Amino acid sequence: MSIETKNIIVEKVKTSKIDQVDFDNLAFGSVFTDHMVVCTFKNGEWETPTIMPYQPITLDPSSKIFHYGQSIFEGMKAYKDKDNDIYLFRPLDNFKRLNISAERMCIPQIPEEYFMNSLTTLLQLDKEFIPTKEGSSLYIRPFMFASGNGFHASPANEYKFIIACAPSGAYFSGKVKVLIEEKYSRSANGGVGFAKTGGNYAGQFYPTQLAVAKGYNQVIWTDDSTHEFIEEAGAMNIFIRINDTLITGPTSDRILDGITRKSILEIAKDQGIKTEVRKITVKEVIEAAENGSLKEMFGAGTAAVISPISSFGFRETDYDLPEIENSFNQRLKKIITDIQYNKSEDKFGWRYKVKV
């Protein structure tokens, strides 16, 4: 049976699969909720969003997503507090960034009410899938892609907007060892590095696997022209602490405007931690590691929140980072996650309560 609410068509599952989910042993993004959002752009406009049972998608072989890569996505999380109230973290930032990516990839922008209404309705339906175990959350993946048909190299005339969700445990466990990359580039000036488009990530896999074969977990990306400047850590923004200053590179055509990155910068300022948003060279990081002023390096992103780096490699030499009590990364992660799980005051106005 279908019902329509808030200009959304809702088709509920006959039988929930909630009993099949082992909430004590959740991997990241591998089991999925009962429902998903699907909305089609056709004849120049977005149709009414539909929430339907989670299921495969049928596409024509000539669908342009397969041939020209018009695809974008976002990553978000939903959290439950001790009272089982549901919260999102800065969801409008994800919405705005999705549309920034859409514009760059020549995909029609989704209206805010379609995004937020369908997302919150989906969370209301699948609220039992939101984990309550410490460190777990419901990972939310909004994405858009070209579903229109044809082999002609041009933007499609039809698109799909979908939201799928996965109850998930921690993305990373422990610290990571990274390799500074000097040959391959994640993105280039004038390109699509600032957009969350699938090709950015597909292009990372091969260099990353080369690093994994050498005993590293991830790569640190450097600029595309000189490979002198530190830019990102794997699929995350990177922060480097030299003495008591926290440094991160400026956003650009090549660097994603990370929501966790922005949050860290605001929290650090509030906490009295000195920050610098500037270019930082590989040479500066090596010198800091050698003279002992390099205190911390960590990646920052939605999935992992903050992922500490234990060591990095450069030109056949590994550099270990010191073990520090009361590190910036631990302090900042606790503040962010306490806001996300409604364990503390949210002086920044980032927490968004989902009405159930």
Side-chain angles (χ1 to χ4, degrees):
M1 183 179 71
S2 297
I3 58 175
E4 189 162 336
T5 175
K6 298 182 188 174
N7 296 319
I8 300 170
I9 300 168
V10 179
E11 301 171 1
K12 294 184 179 181
V13 295
K14 293 180 180 179
T15 305
S16 175
K17 57 189 177 188
I18 187 76
D19 293 339
Q20 301 173 26
V21 181
D22 182 357
F23 285 96
D24 291 324
N25 296 286
L26 286 172
F28 186 86
S30 59
V31 295
F32 304 95
T33 62
D34 282 338
H35 300 91
M36 66 183 189
V37 173
V38 179
C39 187
T40 301
F41 182 89
K42 190 175 182 179
N43 298 322
E45 62 181 11
W46 288 102
E47 298 179 344
T48 302
T50 298
I51 294 179
M52 63 178 66
Y54 184 92
Q55 60 191 271
I57 303 165
T58 301
L59 292 171
D60 190 282
S62 69
S63 295
K64 292 198 172 185
I65 176 58
F66 300 132
H67 308 281
Y68 304 112
Q70 277 183 286
S71 167
I72 59 172
F73 68 95
E74 273 297 321
M76 310 169 64
K77 290 180 178 178
Y79 311 85
K80 273 185 179 174
D81 67 5
K82 59 181 177 60
D83 298 318
N84 280 328
D85 289 327
I86 301 169
Y87 294 92
L88 295 166
F89 183 73
R90 306 186 71 166
L92 291 178
D93 288 88
N94 290 100
F95 159 73
K96 291 172 184 175
R97 191 172 63 183
L98 183 72
N99 276 339
I100 289 170
S101 298
E103 181 179 24
R104 181 62 181 87
M105 299 304 293
C106 212
I107 295 173
Q109 297 188 4
I110 191 82
E112 180 180 327
E113 61 271 23
Y114 278 38
F115 182 93
M116 291 302 299
N117 287 347
S118 60
L119 172 57
T120 54
T121 304
L122 178 63
L123 293 176
Q124 290 161 3
L125 273 176
D126 285 346
K127 63 187 180 214
E128 298 304 320
F129 284 86
I130 304 175
T132 56
K133 187 177 180 180
E134 184 78 21
S136 298
S137 58
L138 184 72
Y139 186 78
I140 303 165
R141 173 54 60 86
F143 60 103
M144 299 164 69
F145 63 90
S147 55
N149 302 336
F151 291 147
H152 189 268
S154 62
N157 59 3
E158 293 184 16
Y159 296 85
K160 295 284 188 187
F161 167 67
I162 295 176
I163 304 177
C165 301
S168 298
Y171 189 67
F172 286 121
S173 58
K175 296 184 178 181
V176 297
K177 182 179 179 181
V178 298
L179 177 67
I180 295 179
E181 178 60 51
E182 288 192 278
K183 178 180 179 181
Y184 298 98
S185 298
R186 178 186 174 274
S187 57
N189 287 330
V192 295
F194 68 92
K196 283 188 74 72
T197 180
N200 287 343
Y201 297 80
Q204 294 185 33
F205 295 156
Y206 178 67
T208 301
Q209 288 306 304
L210 294 178
V212 169
K214 295 178 180 179
Y216 299 92
N217 303 107
Q218 264 295 353
V219 298
I220 290 181
W221 299 105
T222 52
D223 68 289
D224 63 303
S225 55
T226 67
H227 294 289
E228 293 179 7
F229 298 97
I230 298 287
E231 296 208 325
E232 291 198 339
M236 297 181 288
N237 295 118
I238 188 168
F239 284 83
I240 297 166
R241 175 185 173 184
I242 296 179
N243 290 318
D244 287 327
T245 300
L246 197 58
I247 307 165
T248 192
T251 56
S252 66
D253 287 349
R254 303 185 307 277
I255 299 177
L256 185 72
D257 186 11
I259 293 164
T260 306
R261 173 188 176 276
K262 291 191 288 191
S263 303
I264 287 171
L265 288 171
E266 290 189 56
I267 291 170
K269 180 180 178 181
D270 180 71
Q271 291 287 305
I273 296 172
K274 183 181 178 182
T275 62
E276 292 179 0
V277 178
R278 63 170 175 83
K279 291 184 176 182
I280 180 167
T281 64
V282 175
K283 181 181 178 182
E284 183 179 356
V285 174
I286 298 295
E287 289 177 350
E290 290 176 342
N291 66 30
S293 61
L294 179 64
K295 305 302 183 184
E296 298 179 60
M297 295 173 66
F298 56 87
T302 298
V305 185
I306 287 176
S307 181
I309 294 170
S310 59
S311 66
F312 69 91
F314 181 68
R315 295 182 181 174
E316 308 301 325
T317 301
D318 286 341
Y319 299 85
D320 293 328
L321 277 82
E323 292 281 346
I324 295 178
E325 290 186 10
N326 303 314
S327 64
F328 284 179
N329 75 77
Q330 292 173 326
R331 181 174 163 190
L332 293 165
K333 183 173 183 177
K334 186 177 189 307
I335 293 171
I336 290 175
T337 54
D338 281 354
I339 292 172
Q340 291 170 336
Y341 288 94
N342 193 29
K343 292 181 178 180
S344 68
E345 175 193 2
D346 176 20
K347 63 174 69 175
F348 306 99
W350 293 335
R351 197 163 50 220
Y352 181 98
K353 188 173 183 179
V354 177
K355 296 179 181 178
V356 178

